Each structure stands twice: as C-alpha cells, then as structure tokens.
Amino acid sequence: MQRYFVSERERRGEVVTISGADAHHIARVMRMKPGDAIACVFPDGRTAVCSIEQIASDHVRVRIVQWKEEGRELPVRIYIAQGLPKGEKWEFVIQKGTELGAAGFLPFFAARSVVKWDMKKAEKKVERWKKIAKEAAEQAERTSLPEVRAPLSLDALLAFGETVDQRLFAYEEEGRGGRHGSLPALLAGLKPGGTLLAVFGPEGGFSPEEAKRLRQGGFLPCSLGPRILRTETAPLYLLAAASYEWELRAPDWEAAQQ
C-alpha cells in the first residue's frame, strides 16, 4: 500500500485532501483510481488506511477507513551529524539512514570537509535532502519523518548536543587502540525514549582540534570496530548496531529493562 505523510491541516474529520507533489504522484505516477487504498501518516505518528474518493487536477480527496497501530520507529531517537561530505555521499546517508530509523540528520562544516558549500544553492539543496528523506521514510513504511537541517557550525552542533541524553563521536583512534567497548555500553545504557547524537567526520576525519572540542563538550569517543569505515558507511553501521540492540536482540525492550 502506497504511503504518504500528510499534515493535520489537510484533514477535515474523516476526509483528507492531498495536494502538491503527492497528489501528482497518486494520479500521474501511480495512476490510482477512486476506490483504491493508500496509507496516510499524520505528524503524531498515527497511520490511517484511506480510500480515494476523488482525483482532481490539483488535489486528491480520500476518506479514512481504518486506523492502524504500527510500531516502526526505534525506541530511541538517534540523530546523525556528519562533517559535510561530497553531495552524493550525504544523500546516500540520508536515504539509507532514514530506512534504518534515524530521527534526524545534521551536517556540519568540518575542518577537513572537501566539499564547498554554495550559499546560493543552499535552500534547494536542503529541500532536495528533505525530499530524499521523505521518499525513504515512505518506502520503509515509517511513521515519522526524520528532521533534516541545513549545515551547522561546530559551535551550533555542540549546542545541539546539550539537548540530548547521550553524545558520541566515531573516532578511529579508539579502534586502533583496541578499545571497542564504548559503543555497546552506551547503546545498552540508553533508556526507551532516550536521545543520542552521533557525530561522524568527513572524508578526511576529524582534526585534532575538533576531537578535543567534542571531548570537552561531553562527546564520548567510540570505535566502530577494528576496520576503518568510509564516511558514508560509518553512520549506517551505528544505526544497524542500534537496531540490533533495541529491535532484534531485545525486541521486547520493556522486558529487557526489568
């Protein structure tokens, strides 16, 4: 069943009016007809099975048929921050990270980032990133859209870190030293509903000054295993590890906390 994220302002009682790109997708791409069913996901995470009533030139009107209970989100909220990598790599992280359950994506200007940020194209870039996240969330049948931000300064990233429960940065020196226990301990120590900000370097890694400032800001240096991962692979490794810890190894996390 095709899934679309809708806002509360599009809803009037049991009727939802979908416009814009999603209406075009329903009518022109999927070529749906009245009577076909879609899933509408609201900002509070609720999902409704809806039946199409009308397809007009600029909107699609559907009626809610049934509410569904879905448990598609990680029990913990994980934000991925990354030193701005080359465009296609960052888009890959957003797409696959959304599929793996990330709560948000925060690129930042790192000392060793090789990509140059064009302020004239900034708004279009961020809109493209949000579209990639939206499409990936629909494909993965998620019940919430991840937050996607414009690039931050390191200072702004450190300030955001003060709003979450746990903070880490992936640091290869920890792996070279054979210290691999920090990440498993941190994931196991998170509580249901907790938040984690995980920071990753760009292609060239963190500068010594950045690593120092992250430590001073309360970010725990963590190894991602004995192998050196590419910048676009590292966040996906962490999200997969979190999924294993919270959704596979202990699927009933309430029982796991007892």
Side-chain angles (χ1 to χ4, degrees):
M1 187 182 301
Q2 206 60 38
R3 174 171 298 239
Y4 299 93
F5 287 87
V6 298
S7 65
E8 282 293 347
R9 69 175 181 272
E10 295 174 290
R11 179 187 173 195
R12 295 290 184 273
E14 299 301 299
V15 175
V16 181
T17 302
I18 302 171
S19 58
D22 285 341
H24 178 270
H25 188 265
I26 292 169
R28 305 302 180 191
V29 179
M30 300 304 298
R31 298 185 180 278
M32 292 184 180
K33 305 294 182 184
D36 288 345
I38 64 171
C40 288
V41 185
F42 291 88
D44 61 3
R46 294 184 303 159
T47 303
V49 177
C50 300
S51 176
I52 297 175
E53 288 191 337
Q54 180 191 45
I55 298 178
S57 59
D58 61 346
H59 71 271
V60 173
R61 190 177 71 225
V62 303
R63 182 172 295 274
I64 296 172
V65 176
Q66 178 187 7
W67 291 98
K68 296 177 64 178
E69 293 292 334
E70 297 181 321
R72 301 283 169 78
E73 299 300 317
L74 280 168
V76 293
R77 293 179 61 80
I78 300 178
Y79 294 90
I80 300 298
Q82 190 155 24
L84 197 60
K86 292 181 180 178
E88 67 276 9
K89 294 181 180 180
W90 182 232
E91 292 178 1
F92 179 83
V93 169
I94 292 173
Q95 182 187 63
K96 302 308 177 186
T98 298
E99 292 177 25
L100 287 167
F105 299 92
L106 296 83
F108 69 97
F109 296 113
R112 294 177 177 172
S113 290
V114 296
V115 67
K116 301 301 181 185
W117 183 250
D118 187 346
M119 291 302 298
K120 295 179 181 178
K121 300 178 180 179
E123 187 175 345
K124 288 186 177 180
K125 280 274 191 181
V126 176
E127 285 304 312
R128 173 175 169 80
W129 295 343
K130 290 180 178 179
K131 181 180 179 183
I132 290 170
K134 179 178 181 292
E135 291 175 350
E138 291 170 346
Q139 183 275 322
E141 296 189 356
R142 289 189 55 176
T143 55
S144 70
L145 281 173
E147 179 182 357
V148 182
R149 294 200 181 191
L152 307 172
S153 66
L154 182 57
D155 286 339
L157 181 64
L158 292 171
F160 181 85
E162 296 177 359
T163 69
V164 301
D165 300 316
Q166 298 285 352
R167 306 179 281 281
L168 70 82
F169 69 104
Y171 200 39
E172 63 271 18
E173 294 304 320
E174 292 292 301
R176 290 193 178 105
R179 298 179 292 274
H180 304 305
S182 296
L183 179 60
L186 187 149
L187 291 177
L190 271 173
K191 302 297 182 184
T195 51
L196 167 66
L197 173 59
V199 183
F200 302 87
E203 290 87 346
F206 295 106
S207 70
E209 177 62 22
E210 287 170 335
K212 179 182 177 181
R213 292 196 63 194
L214 287 165
R215 287 179 187 269
Q216 291 173 342
F219 287 77
L220 180 70
C222 286
S223 162
L224 299 182
R227 292 165 294 282
I228 302 301
L229 304 179
R230 291 180 181 271
T231 186
E232 67 271 29
T233 308
L236 308 184
Y237 178 101
L238 180 135
L239 289 166
S243 175
Y244 172 77
E245 176 68 30
W246 283 93
E247 298 176 315
L248 300 183
R249 190 176 73 84
D252 184 355
W253 50 260
E254 288 183 342
Q257 298 303 306
Q258 296 176 358

